[in-house]
């Protein structure tokens, strides 16, 4: 077959990139000088393959101002450092918006934080706290002192303290006041009342007691002192011949409407007075200071009894 008109270039030269490959170079492919695919050349002629209007250059080769620029070989990045290709836009000139960094300390000699004022404020707060704790400790100590000393008790709303009852000179802070007790034999006797020591069991001094009370007009009178006005109990120790008796009780010149009972509480059937000593009581209202207490045999009383002692108490006692 006759060879046609293939133009001025050989087939190897038809590939504009043939000279870039190793096998093309081995085959003798050369960079076309007169144009070809991708290379500008002379005007198209019949039978001549068309040429490209864009001149293809070797990879890495570019003309700037008539000078060829050699391909740039990227330098090896240190391990752990970001590659420039992946650097943040902020790292390029004019790229990205500026992000504020951490606040910088004020330069020396400038107006920085008022550390002196802050220190003074902190010291003031600590002083207030210490003063509050000290006041609480002192307050608690004062409360304990009041409790130990028998001070006023707290009542009602917080902070209100009730005043303790007034104490008369006769009261002692060493303990409760001993209320009076008196032997009947030492009392003022009236009528046929007299002293005797024949009956055993009397608790008075030398065993003395008051007898002869069974006649109208007989009486024993006691001047008793109490520390404060109020209600009390009058106790009387007596002996009867195994039968009930009674007497009139007069306090500060006022006779009680009911006589004081001298009953046979032990239910004895033996008339021997020695075996019939017992105790009775009656409520009385006394004033502060001296009180006159009188037992008497009046019309209508059963007065067959002898008396050992009289005693005033705030509480009921047994025996």
């Amino acid at each position: 077959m006759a060879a046609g008109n293939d133009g001025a270039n050989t087939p190897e030269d038809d590939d504009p990139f043939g000279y870039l490959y190793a096998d093309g170079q081995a085959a003798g492919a050369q960079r076309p000088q007169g144009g070809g695919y991708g290379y500008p050349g002379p005007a198209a002629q019949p039978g001549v393959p068309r040429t490209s209007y864009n001149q293809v250059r070797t990879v890495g080769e570019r003309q700037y101002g008539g000078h060829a620029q050699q391909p740039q070989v990227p330098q090896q990045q240190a391990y752990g450092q970001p590659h420039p290709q992946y650097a943040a836009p902020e790292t390029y000139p004019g790229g990205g918006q500026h992000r504020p960094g951490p606040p910088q300390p004020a330069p020396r000699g400038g107006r920085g934080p008022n550390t002196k004022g802050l220190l003074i404020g902190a010291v003031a707060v600590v002083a207030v706290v210490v003063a509050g704790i000290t006041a609480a400790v002192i307050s608690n100590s004062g409360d304990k002192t009041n409790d130990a000393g028998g001070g006023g008790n707290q009542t009602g709303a917080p902070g209100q303290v009730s005043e303790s009852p007034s104490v008369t000179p006769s009261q002692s802070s060493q303990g409760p006041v001993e209320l009076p007790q008196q032997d009947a034999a030492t009392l003022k006797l009236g009528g046929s009342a007299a002293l005797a020591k024949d009956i055993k069991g009397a608790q008075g001094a030398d065993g003395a007691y008051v007898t002869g009370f069974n006649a109208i007009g007989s009486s024993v009178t006691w001047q008793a002192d109490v520390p404060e006005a109020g209600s009390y109990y009058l106790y009387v120790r007596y002996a009867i011949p195994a039968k009930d008796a009674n007497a009139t009780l007069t306090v500060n010149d006022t006779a009680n409407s009911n006589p004081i009972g001298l009953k046979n509480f032990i239910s004895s059937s033996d008339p021997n007075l020695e075996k019939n000593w017992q105790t009775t009581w009656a409520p009385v209202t006394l004033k502060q200071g001296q009180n006159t207490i009188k037992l008497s045999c009046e019309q209508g009383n059963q007065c067959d009894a002898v008396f050992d002692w009289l005693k005033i108490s705030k509480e009921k006692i047994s025996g």
Side-chain angles (χ1 to χ4, degrees), residues 7-310:
N9 298 326
T10 61
E12 291 81 358
D13 294 333
D14 287 342
D15 185 356
F17 303 105
Y19 71 94
L20 299 176
Y21 310 119
D23 55 351
Q25 295 176 2
Q30 298 293 327
R31 175 179 178 177
Q33 300 295 327
Y37 291 111
Y39 294 89
Q45 299 179 4
V48 178
R50 63 181 180 83
T51 58
S52 173
Y53 293 97
N54 296 322
Q55 185 174 355
V56 179
R57 297 172 176 80
T58 306
V59 174
E61 181 181 1
R62 184 175 297 275
Q63 295 289 336
Y64 293 98
H67 299 282
Q69 298 293 329
Q70 296 301 322
Q72 299 295 325
V73 179
Q75 297 181 356
Q76 181 69 26
Q77 290 294 116
Y79 177 77
Q81 297 293 328
H83 197 279
Q85 182 178 355
Y86 302 102
E90 294 83 347
T91 60
Y92 295 101
Q97 297 181 355
H98 176 69
R99 296 183 180 179
Q104 299 297 325
R108 293 184 177 273
R111 186 175 181 82
N114 190 0
T115 55
K116 183 177 181 181
L118 294 177
L119 179 60
I120 294 175
V123 172
V125 171
V126 172
V128 171
V129 173
V130 172
I133 295 175
T134 303
V137 171
I138 294 175
S139 177
N140 291 336
S141 300
D143 292 343
K144 293 180 180 179
T145 303
N146 289 340
D147 292 343
N153 297 326
Q154 293 185 356
T155 58
Q160 295 181 351
V161 180
S162 62
E163 296 182 357
S164 57
S166 59
V167 180
T168 60
S170 59
Q171 288 181 301
S172 172
S173 59
Q174 297 179 354
V177 176
E178 185 72 20
L179 293 175
Q181 176 176 329
Q182 192 75 31
D183 292 343
T186 63
L187 301 181
K188 180 181 178 181
L189 305 180
S192 60
L195 299 180
K197 298 180 180 178
D198 300 334
I199 303 172
K200 294 181 180 180
Q203 297 177 351
D206 297 331
Y209 56 90
V210 175
T211 189
F213 194 75
N214 56 353
I216 295 176
S218 298
S219 65
V220 291
T221 303
W222 181 27
Q223 301 294 330
D225 289 337
V226 293
E228 59 184 1
S231 298
Y232 294 86
Y233 297 96
L234 173 66
Y235 282 85
V236 178
R237 189 169 189 263
Y238 64 97
I240 53 175
K243 61 180 181 181
D244 292 343
N246 57 50
T248 298
L249 174 61
T250 302
V251 178
N252 296 325
D253 298 328
T254 301
N256 285 8
S257 57
N258 296 322
I260 182 171
L262 306 173
K263 297 183 178 182
N264 183 18
F265 292 111
I266 62 176
S267 302
S268 174
S269 59
D270 189 346
N272 187 354
L273 295 176
E274 183 179 337
K275 298 180 180 180
N276 293 296
W277 289 106
Q278 50 199 303
T279 304
T280 189
W281 61 269
V284 292
T285 300
L286 304 178
K287 63 183 179 180
Q288 182 179 357
Q290 190 177 76
N291 294 266
T292 301
I293 300 173
K294 179 181 178 181
L295 295 178
S296 62
C297 184
E298 306 294 342
Q299 189 69 36
N301 292 139
Q302 303 294 327
C303 307
D304 192 3
V306 296
F307 298 100
D308 188 10
W309 51 252
L310 282 71

